[in-house]
Amino acid sequence: MTDFPIQNLPFGVFSRDGEAHLATAINDSVVDLHACAHEGLIDEPALLEPTLNALMAKGRIATRAVRTRVTELIKSGEAGRHFVPMGDAEMLLPVRIGDYTDFYASIHHATNVGSMFRPDNPLLPNYKWLPIGYHGRASSIVVSGTPVRRPCGQTIDAAPPPSFGPSKRLDYEMEVGMFIGRGNALGEPIAVRDALDHVFGLCLVNDWSARDIQTWEYQPLGPFLAKNFATSISPWIITLDALEPYRVHAERHDPEPLPYLCDEAAFDITVEVWLRTARMTEPVRLSKGNFRDMYWTVAQLVAHHTSNGCNLQPGDLLASGTVSGPAKENRGCLLELT
């Protein structure tokens, strides 16, 4: 069993002979799409670019055509000479990310965290009416496997004054990322019914969080240095076409959302967090959650983000916020687990 059967065919970028080549994956191999396009096996100029942005901008029809053609080439054996063992491939950041928005879309995560600070009223009044989010830092997004340096910042014990030094409470957040394909013009919102047509695909996101720095700085404007030092994303982006078999009905909201946010399309995606330290011979699973448990859907996040006329562009990244569920084993960060 592999994460990348022929039904998946994700998109990524790897280094070959010092150049960035667009690629897909099949079983334990990387398929060099740049080489396929250069040879004329695939008629898509966007595959010759060093990032996925040009292909993203063409929309889901163009992406679907590429995946269909790649399937033909794999089945016929013509793509075989452009296979590279996955273990030999150095994966690169697949997208030139212009903007990054991090949401807070799990009601279970919001409730768990809120109860630590407001036991009698963990959810703020606006939570069930609109997706909460903030703008993150795109320049510090790195591909998974890139070393992350422990950040320094101001922290506080019981009372001021604060001290400055390395974070002692560095945390992860298990999230799902959504890459924008076709964007929208400034001032032109994306309707919730059309939102998924503007999503190129999904990836995994680790939103590193320095909790002690965050505790001291986050009021009144929210996260800043506690989050923007690094965010890791998976090298492969899974298209919504590949995820179509896992599309399910989202649970109904109470109260019903405003009309511009009415949507029913969730995705049944299991996500897990495993830990292995330098002294451990075997990893241990810390949590197991499901993306379908999120309160706000992918379409709702896109629709709300653009509802004021904000223009999204190809390659923009939206992150879901920590994926958590109703049980303790579903909690997607150490802050919740401990």
Side-chain angles (χ1 to χ4, degrees), residues 36 43 100 118 178 180 198-199 243 250 279 284 318 330:
C36 290
D43 183 17
Y100 166 47
R118 300 178 302 276
M178 296 139 259
I180 298 299
H198 291 262
V199 177
L243 290 168
R279 295 184 180 183
V284 60
L318 313 184
N330 305 144

Side-chain angles (χ1 to χ4, degrees), residues 108-127:
H108 302 288
H109 175 65
T111 301
N112 290 337
V113 174
S115 64
M116 299 177 192
F117 304 101
R118 300 178 302 276
D120 297 329
N121 187 29
L123 284 182
L124 295 176
N126 61 356
Y127 189 86

Side-chain angles (χ1 to χ4, degrees), residues 8-301:
N8 192 324
L9 297 183
F11 285 95
V13 175
F14 77 114
S15 178
R16 192 168 197 185
D17 299 326
E19 296 182 346
H21 281 205
L22 269 62
T24 188
I26 179 74
N27 298 324
D28 57 357
S29 296
V30 170
V31 184
D32 190 336
L33 298 182
H34 177 106
C36 290
H38 187 266
E39 193 177 301
L41 294 176
I42 306 176
D43 183 17
E44 178 48 77
L47 298 181
L48 299 175
E49 297 292 325
T51 67
L52 286 164
N53 295 69
L55 181 63
M56 289 173 156
K58 292 191 171 186
R60 290 182 66 181
I61 294 177
T63 304
R64 188 175 297 140
V66 170
R67 293 180 71 250
T68 299
R69 179 58 179 155
V70 171
T71 300
E72 295 172 351
L73 294 174
I74 292 174
K75 288 183 175 180
S76 69
E78 293 180 87
R81 58 184 174 276
H82 298 303
F83 278 29
V84 176
M86 193 170 291
D88 296 338
E90 178 190 355
M91 302 305 297
L92 306 176
L93 196 67
V95 180
R96 185 178 65 256
I97 303 171
D99 278 301
Y100 166 47
T101 302
D102 193 20
F103 283 96
Y104 198 51
S106 168
I107 195 169
H108 302 288
H109 175 65
T111 301
N112 290 337
V113 174
S115 64
M116 299 177 192
F117 304 101
R118 300 178 302 276
D120 297 329
N121 187 29
L123 284 182
L124 295 176
N126 61 356
Y127 189 86
K128 290 186 176 182
W129 291 102
L130 56 84
I132 305 298
Y134 73 96
H135 294 291
R137 184 71 185 178
S139 64
S140 54
I141 297 175
V142 297
V143 70
S144 180
T146 301
V148 173
R149 178 175 295 180
R150 182 179 296 270
C152 290
Q154 287 193 26
T155 59
I156 190 170
D157 292 324
S163 60
F164 182 85
S167 170
K168 297 176 182 177
R169 296 175 57 206
L170 187 58
D171 199 358
Y172 60 83
E173 289 188 339
M174 173 65 249
E175 305 191 18
V176 173
M178 296 139 259
F179 273 108
I180 298 299
R182 288 190 304 111
N184 61 301
L186 182 64
E188 297 293 333
I190 297 174
V192 69
R193 65 179 179 275
D194 301 323
L196 293 184
D197 289 333
H198 291 262
V199 177
F200 177 79
L202 307 185
C203 70
L204 295 177
V205 174
N206 180 358
D207 185 28
W208 297 96
S209 302
R211 299 300 188 189
D212 43 359
I213 297 173
Q214 183 178 356
T215 299
W216 175 234
E217 74 173 6
Y218 85 101
Q219 292 180 342
L221 293 181
F224 184 37
L225 300 184
K227 298 255 187 186
N228 69 5
F229 60 94
T231 300
S232 301
I233 67 169
S234 58
W236 297 107
I237 303 172
I238 314 301
T239 66
L240 292 194
D241 282 345
L243 290 168
E244 189 62 29
Y246 307 98
R247 186 167 166 171
V248 294
H249 281 288
E251 293 188 15
R252 295 182 65 86
H253 288 193
D254 182 19
E256 287 285 331
L258 298 178
Y260 82 99
L261 286 174
C262 287
D263 178 60
E264 298 180 347
F267 291 92
D268 185 4
I269 303 171
T270 299
V271 293
E272 297 180 339
V273 176
W274 291 75
L275 173 70
R276 182 167 58 194
T277 70
R279 295 184 180 183
M280 295 168 62
T281 56
E282 297 294 333
V284 60
R285 191 177 72 190
L286 299 183
S287 68
K288 179 179 180 179
N290 197 297
F291 192 49
R292 71 180 299 172
D293 289 331
M294 304 300 277
Y295 191 81
W296 297 104
T297 69
V298 173
Q300 287 170 330
L301 299 183

